[in-house]
Amino acid sequence: MADRTRGDAAEDVGASGLEHLAGLAGITLPGVGTASQWMARKIREEWARNRSTALRAAERTSGLSREDLAEQVAADPRLVPLVTRLLYAAGMNGHDNTLRAMGAAFGDAVRDREAVDECEIILGALADLTEAHSIVLLTLSEKPLDPPPDLPHWVPYLLEERSGLPPRTTSLCVAALVARGLVVAPTGFGGEIVYHVTPLGRDVLAVLREHAEAGG
């Protein structure tokens, strides 16, 4: 038919933009290399999924539809690795608060291209954070309650008590947060390890707090 609906045209635009960003099987994923046909298909399926938590957050923050987001990605190569990382994380991470925060960060970058570099860093830091990681990071951002006079900072046993998580889980979460540059764990004067949230960790926390409780 010559008279096509706006919905049909929008679907074509979305497919065109997606074809551009997916490159079918040629996406380079962080830490993975060239994506397989399977991974490219999974990424495209996430893009097409109506209830994608990450993409709905991106739509809400950017103020754009899914099709308009595809147009923006197709027009600006800098957005391709960001949306690739976002879609890959959405397929691997079931933590909705993290995915909402990642989607919102991507939406911010689409809306304001000066935020692209910051978005790339934040997406990398958030990509595989679970609820347990978020709990530990949030706990470390607060002041310890009633710490011993000689230990005014977070130390392992105080964090384990306050987080409410099993000690081994807390320890593994801290190690992951340190590896991502969100937390540092220097040795204090008494030889005790102390934990501090880094500036990047505080940026990630701000994104989580701002967007994680928003509707998906």
Side-chain angles (χ1 to χ4, degrees), residues 4-19 67 70:
R4 305 188 61 197
T5 65
R6 175 176 172 78
D8 291 336
E11 184 176 345
D12 283 350
V13 170
S16 176
L18 185 57
E19 193 80 0
E67 292 76 21

Side-chain angles (χ1 to χ4, degrees), residues 78-146:
R78 294 178 301 164
L79 296 177
V80 174
L82 300 185
V83 74
T84 300
R85 186 186 288 272
L86 177 65
L87 295 173
Y88 177 66
M92 303 296 289
N93 188 330
H95 182 32
D96 281 352
N97 285 351
T98 297
L99 295 177
R100 290 191 189 104
M102 291 182 70
F106 174 68
D108 283 337
V110 172
R111 186 178 57 191
D112 177 10
R113 299 307 161 82
E114 291 185 1
V116 166
D117 290 341
E118 178 183 348
C119 176
E120 185 171 10
I121 294 171
I122 289 175
L123 291 185
L126 281 168
D128 55 0
L129 293 192
T130 66
E131 183 176 3
H133 294 102
S134 297
I135 289 171
V136 171
L137 187 60
L138 182 60
T139 302
L140 288 174
S141 71
E142 303 168 350
K143 290 184 178 180
L145 291 177
D146 302 322

Side-chain angles (χ1 to χ4, degrees), residues 16-67:
S16 176
L18 185 57
E19 193 80 0
H20 175 81
L21 72 93
L24 292 180
I27 295 173
T28 299
L29 298 177
V32 178
T34 301
S36 65
Q37 290 279 356
W38 176 86
M39 184 56 70
R41 186 179 72 252
K42 288 296 184 182
I43 287 173
R44 295 204 288 175
E45 287 174 356
E46 181 65 25
W47 180 273
R49 197 161 64 88
N50 288 334
R51 296 193 59 80
S52 169
T53 298
L55 288 173
R56 291 179 69 179
E59 292 167 16
R60 182 176 58 251
T61 305
S62 66
L64 300 175
S65 68
R66 189 79 53 93
E67 292 76 21

